[in-house]
Amino acid sequence: MANTLRSRLASWDYILAALVVVLLVTASLVQPGFSGGFNFANSVSQMSDKALLVLPLALLIIAREIDISVASIAGLSGVVLGMALQAGLPLALAITLAMLAGTLCGALNALLVTVVGLPSLVVTLGTLALFRGLCYVLLGGAPITDVPPSLITFGNETLPGTYLPWDIVPFLVLAPLFALYLHRTATGRRTYAIGGGPEIAVYSGVRVNRIRFGLFVVSGLVAALAGVITVARTSQAAPDGALGFELDAITVVFLGGVSVLGGKGRMPGVCWALVLVVALRSMLQLANVSGYAQGAAVGLLLILSLLITNTTHRIHAALTSRRLRKVPVPRPAGP
């Protein structure tokens, strides 16, 4: 019982939770206005679209893949939404077209990775530039500001009687579903198996390419939803919408304990890392730190998260190996 409690307290999820509590308490005491309702609503709203990108990205990295084109897919989906609204289409149909565009982008990534056999890092690096370039080709650099008031309200107002923004609701709905998929379903266990060893998973009967294909498609679909929220929050569809969001998303995933080599990671840790990044950005913003400096801080946090998770895994492997060496090997009985 004591060993189980000790191992849980030493897990990365609990360490992140403790760091979040320390940061929140420190910021509340040091930074005026940090604990106010307005700052809470503003900070959460600014991360609402990025938070969505984190969910499918965590699953892909656990499966030993990556999609760094998610921000470009979000931007392109936002452009499709804006063009549809500008053409006079109903809001529901415009959102449907935007979601379809993101799904097709995810399917293209999936096709190139699972069917053609190209590395996902190279593929999504190429499609990152491709999808972002299409944003500028379609809009020519001029944003579309013809956004319905109902969509603007969704991206800028809070739930009645609370400080909780409307645009964080999709994340609050999807996060438990992704956690259930990863930790409570057979397909989630197969996702871990793929990341732990793709070749072994294939020989075990796991349909590796089918799961990977589905993960990339879901990534495109969720990125499209993030693009819709970006348009709602900024009240415009711009060619640079969601630009650079992949940095924050990747930082959150790795800081949350997901291994860069795949096969390891938990959704609770990812959610705690998200709260940590939101709090850090909020604290820097209240301290009048520029957006460029905030980006540098997030980049530094990404490097530190990789170092910490890599060191943690090495220590865990060394301790496991040491325990195995201490186990006495039974000798065969003599004649």
Side-chain angles (χ1 to χ4, degrees), residues 7-288:
S7 62
R8 286 186 176 182
L9 292 176
S11 69
W12 187 239
D13 294 359
Y14 284 87
I15 294 174
L16 276 176
L19 288 175
V20 167
V21 172
V22 171
L23 180 61
L24 291 178
V25 172
T26 303
S28 299
L29 295 175
V30 174
Q31 195 65 53
F34 179 85
S35 57
F38 175 79
N39 180 64
F40 170 81
N42 183 60
S43 301
V44 172
S45 181
Q46 287 186 358
M47 285 293 292
S48 58
D49 36 17
K50 299 174 186 177
L52 283 172
L53 301 179
V54 167
L55 298 175
L57 190 59
L59 299 185
L60 280 169
I61 295 177
I62 288 175
R64 205 180 287 191
E65 301 291 346
I66 194 169
D67 184 359
I68 58 175
S69 69
V70 285
S72 295
I73 295 176
L76 181 58
S77 300
V79 168
V80 171
L81 173 63
M83 294 180 66
L85 292 172
Q86 193 176 50
L89 295 180
L91 178 59
L93 180 57
I95 292 177
T96 301
L97 291 176
M99 302 294 286
L100 178 61
T103 304
L104 291 176
C105 291
L108 176 61
N109 286 335
L111 184 69
L112 293 174
V113 172
T114 62
V115 177
V116 181
L118 299 177
S120 59
L121 178 61
V122 177
V123 167
T124 56
L125 181 62
T127 54
L128 177 150
L130 171 63
F131 300 149
R132 184 62 64 182
L134 286 176
C135 293
Y136 285 95
V137 169
L138 293 173
L139 291 187
I144 296 174
T145 57
D146 187 15
V147 181
S150 58
L151 190 59
I152 296 176
T153 299
F154 176 79
N156 294 273
E157 298 294 333
T158 59
L159 275 70
T162 71
Y163 290 108
L164 190 67
W166 276 107
D167 53 11
I168 197 63
V169 172
F171 171 80
L172 296 179
V173 172
L174 290 179
L177 297 179
F178 273 77
L180 286 174
Y181 163 84
L182 185 61
H183 302 301
R184 299 299 182 189
T185 67
T187 310
R189 291 191 291 272
R190 295 186 185 109
T191 302
Y192 278 111
I194 293 172
E199 296 81 8
I200 298 176
V202 169
Y203 285 118
S204 300
V206 177
R207 296 180 177 179
V208 173
N209 283 338
R210 176 178 292 187
I211 293 176
R212 284 174 171 170
F213 194 100
L215 291 178
F216 276 105
V217 171
V218 170
S219 179
L221 179 63
V222 175
L225 179 58
V228 172
I229 291 178
T230 301
V231 173
R233 186 172 56 82
T234 59
S235 305
Q236 65 176 5
D240 60 348
L243 184 65
F245 283 12
E246 65 275 355
L247 175 61
D248 277 20
I250 293 173
T251 300
V252 168
V253 172
F254 287 138
L255 182 62
V258 176
S259 173
V260 68
L261 300 177
K264 295 180 180 178
R266 286 174 45 81
M267 200 58 69
V270 172
C271 292
W272 280 117
L274 178 63
V275 176
L276 187 64
V277 171
V278 171
L280 177 63
R281 276 196 173 273
S282 175
M283 189 175 179
L284 293 175
Q285 188 174 7
L286 288 175
N288 294 321

